């Protein structure tokens, strides 16, 4: 039998590096196998870049592999230097533990939506063994198997060593040994014989493969997927500006939905291949449909619905689509209080005293346009109003209109639009 996982990953362009392809295929076809991917808890949440290895585990589980998720409760105290141009800030034990707990909650939710109960990955924390590993034991049992001359040849190490302004600390230099020891423990304790991860992990994975083969005399394998990169070639990371997070407290479902719906055609195809859990045949039909009528954005809509549902559930998708429809139609009164801030996050906002609305007869819309910057003068404001170009809370208004407390949406907000695209938010306190 030809193992379905490799065929699936190959079609999607998700194999960047691997151990000998023929040997790996033969190994996976040889019985019930187990694989793992590790996640270091360097932040309280995970980004869309982390979603790629998460979906790798989902694909592995769906094709019959036993999947293991390794949380870096131990390695997270060190921080992987791979792909970093400077040393990470070391986290406290308490912060790492809290992050592990949060990461587990995120993955339990995603796996629960994508997999049958019997397919859910096993959760393991390397803090359970690294925390009790003594220095002498580590140097004798692990360190002696790693020639320094080989370690410094790795690109991630060499780049840092060649930079006189940064360098590489011994702590960071030792990271790959800790990850190699993880592979050994997972092989011994859980029968894991395949480690997967992003392409920047290849050096660490190879180190683990060599160590396990040398110490346990067991044939193990490795496979990496490409990094998720932005259009400009930069990584979707945690520290980069504009990071897309997997939790609603950092990136709202509406913001995620809009991010995906606004992908270019090229980006949408790449995201669909990388992230979509839709089977190959219907996805190829979707690609063909989108090619025939790209203006309909069928691919982006499918992707936005699928990924938002995976991370936040179907009700979040429904709310995001309802808010988008309300914004497009101008019926902004239909947007819920919890979504107003997300929908208008990038719209200029002014804050005004509530007393303005309590004046006899209310606050003239002419003054509201001046306050929000939608008019440069009273004459300018009256001209826009006379042209019927101004809407307040979705309703078209004229030059004598006023706003009162009764016009507040959700008790505090008035939304103003001039023309087709110029929006302003007025908050009253």
């Amino acid at each position: 039998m030809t193992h379905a996982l490799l065929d699936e990953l190959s079609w999607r362009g998700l194999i960047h590096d691997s151990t000998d392809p023929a040997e790996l295929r033969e190994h996976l076809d040889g019985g019930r196998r187990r694989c793992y991917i590790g996640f270091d808890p360097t932040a309280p949440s995970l980004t869309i870049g982390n979603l790629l290895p998460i979906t790798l585990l989902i694909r592995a589980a769906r094709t019959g592999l036993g999947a293991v998720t390794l949380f870096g409760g131990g390695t997270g105290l060190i921080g992987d230097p791979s792909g970093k141009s400077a040393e990470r800030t070391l986290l406290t034990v308490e912060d790492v533990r809290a992050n592990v707990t949060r990461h587990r909650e995120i993955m339990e939710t995603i796996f629960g939506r994508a997999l049958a109960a019997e397919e859910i990955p096993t959760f393991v924390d390397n803090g359970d063994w690294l925390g009790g590993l003594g220095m002498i034991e580590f140097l004798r049992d692990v360190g002696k198997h790693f020639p320094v001359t080989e370690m410094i040849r790795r690109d991630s190490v060499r780049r840092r060593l060649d930079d006189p302004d940064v360098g590489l600390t011994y702590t960071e230099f030792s990271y790959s040994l800790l990850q190699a020891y993880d592979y050994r423990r997972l092989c011994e304790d859980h029968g894991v014989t395949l480690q997967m991860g992003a392409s920047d992990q290849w050096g660490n994975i190879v180190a683990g493969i060599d160590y396990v083969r040398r110490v346990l005399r067991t044939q193990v394998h490795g496979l990496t997927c490409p990094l998720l990169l932005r259009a400009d070639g930069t990584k979707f990371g945690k520290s980069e500006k504009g990071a897309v997070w997997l939790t609603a407290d950092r990136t709202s479902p509406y913001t995620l939905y809009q991010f995906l719906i606004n992908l270019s055609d090229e980006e949408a195809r790449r995201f669909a291949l990388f992230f979509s859990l839709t089977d190959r045949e219907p996805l190829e039909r979707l690609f063909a449909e989108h090619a025939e009528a790209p203006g309909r954005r069928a691919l982006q809509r499918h992707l936005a619905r699928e990924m938002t549902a995976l991370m936040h559930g179907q009700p979040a998708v429904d709310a995001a689509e309802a808010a988008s429809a309300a914004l497009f139609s101008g019926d902004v009164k239909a947007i819920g209080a919890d979504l107003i801030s997300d929908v208008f996050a990038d719209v200029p906002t002014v804050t005004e005293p509530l007393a303005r609305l309590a004046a006899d007869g209310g606050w003239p819309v002419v003054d509201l346009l001046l306050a929000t910057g939608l008019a440069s003068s009273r004459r300018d404001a009256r001209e826009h109003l006379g042209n019927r170009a101004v809407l307040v809370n979705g309703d078209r208004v004229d030059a004598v209109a006023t706003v009162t407390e009764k016009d507040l949406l959700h008790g505090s907000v008035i939304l103003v639009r001039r023309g087709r695209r110029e929006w302003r938010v007025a908050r009253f306190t």
Side-chain angles (χ1 to χ4, degrees):
M1 145 180 170
T2 300
H3 203 278
L5 176 64
L6 298 181
D7 295 336
E8 174 81 359
L9 298 185
S10 179
W11 174 72
R12 291 178 179 271
L14 285 174
I15 299 179
H16 189 276
D17 295 293
S18 77
T19 46
D20 183 271
E23 290 182 0
L24 176 57
R25 186 177 293 275
E26 182 180 1
H27 174 73
L28 294 179
D29 287 341
R32 171 72 169 175
R33 305 302 185 189
R34 294 175 71 81
C35 64
Y36 95 94
I37 297 177
F39 298 84
D40 270 351
T42 54
S45 185
L46 295 164
T47 71
I48 196 169
N50 301 121
L51 185 63
L52 186 50
I54 290 173
T55 55
L56 277 187
L57 285 174
I58 292 172
R59 299 186 201 284
R62 284 184 169 185
T63 54
L65 273 71
V68 175
T69 299
L70 178 68
F71 298 111
T75 47
L77 292 167
I78 302 300
D80 185 1
S82 300
K84 293 294 179 182
S85 59
E87 186 174 13
R88 294 176 183 269
T89 300
L90 297 182
L91 301 179
T92 66
V93 173
E94 293 74 21
D95 284 343
V96 169
R97 287 175 178 169
N99 291 349
V100 167
T101 298
R102 189 70 182 109
H103 287 193
R104 179 168 184 145
E105 292 170 351
I106 295 168
M107 293 200 199
E108 284 177 339
T109 299
I110 292 175
F111 290 143
R113 291 187 177 122
L115 296 170
E118 65 275 10
E119 296 172 332
I120 300 293
T122 300
F123 293 131
V124 181
D125 186 344
N126 64 19
D128 292 342
W129 54 77
L130 293 180
L133 188 62
M135 184 66 173
I136 299 300
E137 179 187 1
F138 177 73
L139 292 175
R140 283 177 58 87
D141 295 345
V142 184
K144 69 177 182 179
H145 295 287
F146 288 82
V148 172
T149 51
E150 291 183 12
M151 294 179 67
I152 62 176
R153 291 196 190 104
R154 293 184 191 135
D155 288 342
S156 59
V157 173
R158 175 55 57 192
R159 282 195 298 268
R160 291 283 293 277
L161 290 177
D162 288 344
D163 187 340
D165 297 324
V166 180
L168 188 72
T169 66
Y170 179 76
T171 299
E172 296 175 290
F173 189 63
S174 301
Y175 182 91
S176 64
L177 278 66
L178 297 175
Q179 187 167 315
Y181 186 74
D182 286 343
Y183 202 167
R184 172 185 172 176
R185 288 298 301 264
L186 291 172
C187 183
E188 288 180 310
D189 300 345
H190 297 275
V192 169
T193 54
L194 171 63
Q195 181 183 359
M196 299 191 295
S199 59
D200 60 355
Q201 291 297 304
W202 183 242
N204 292 333
I205 291 174
V206 169
I209 291 170
D210 291 342
Y211 174 63
V212 173
R213 289 179 176 179
R214 187 177 297 118
V215 174
L216 301 183
R217 307 297 182 190
T218 299
Q219 191 80 349
V220 293
H221 300 269
L223 181 151
T224 65
C225 65
L227 288 171
L228 179 66
L229 301 177
R230 301 175 186 274
D232 62 3
T234 59
K235 182 180 175 181
F236 276 93
K238 300 181 180 68
S239 57
E240 287 76 10
K241 183 178 179 181
V244 180
W245 298 87
L246 304 190
T247 49
D249 60 325
R250 293 184 171 229
T251 297
S252 71
Y254 176 83
T255 302
L256 173 67
Y257 184 92
Q258 289 300 314
F259 167 77
L260 296 166
I261 205 95
N262 288 310
L263 290 173
S264 68
D265 291 343
E266 181 181 351
E267 289 175 322
R269 180 180 176 85
R270 180 165 56 95
F271 269 59
L273 289 170
F274 277 23
F275 293 110
S276 178
L277 300 178
T278 301
D279 290 338
R280 178 173 179 172
E281 288 187 7
L283 198 56
E284 286 182 327
R285 288 196 297 270
L286 184 61
F287 288 157
E289 176 189 343
H290 183 76
E292 290 179 3
R296 296 177 183 173
R297 302 186 73 76
L299 181 56
Q300 285 91 337
R301 293 184 187 283
H302 175 87
L303 196 62
R305 288 167 179 164
E306 182 181 4
M307 291 182 65
T308 305
L310 179 65
M311 286 182 260
H312 301 291
Q314 187 58 42
V317 178
D318 297 339
E321 293 192 322
S324 298
L327 187 62
F328 180 78
S329 68
D331 184 20
V332 291
K333 295 175 185 176
I335 300 176
D338 56 336
L339 278 177
I340 285 284
S341 295
D342 294 329
V343 173
F344 294 95
D346 297 324
V347 171
T349 301
V350 298
T351 301
E352 296 289 334
L354 190 60
R356 292 202 189 284
L357 304 181
D360 187 29
W363 196 27
V365 171
V366 168
D367 294 336
L368 175 61
L369 291 179
L370 285 170
T372 57
L374 286 175
S376 58
S377 65
R378 289 180 177 277
R379 179 180 177 180
D380 186 38
R382 292 191 183 98
E383 184 176 336
H384 290 306
L385 289 163
N387 292 331
R388 306 288 287 171
V390 177
L391 289 85
V392 173
N393 294 340
D395 297 326
R396 204 168 297 279
V397 293
D398 57 28
V400 297
T402 61
V403 287
T404 69
E405 291 187 38
K406 292 181 180 178
D407 294 303
L408 291 174
L409 298 180
H410 313 300
S412 64
V413 174
I414 289 178
L415 303 173
V416 191
R417 192 182 89 187
R418 189 196 72 197
R420 299 182 64 181
R421 299 180 181 275
E422 286 290 322
W423 284 93
R424 296 292 188 274
V425 177
R427 294 189 179 276
F428 293 85
T429 58

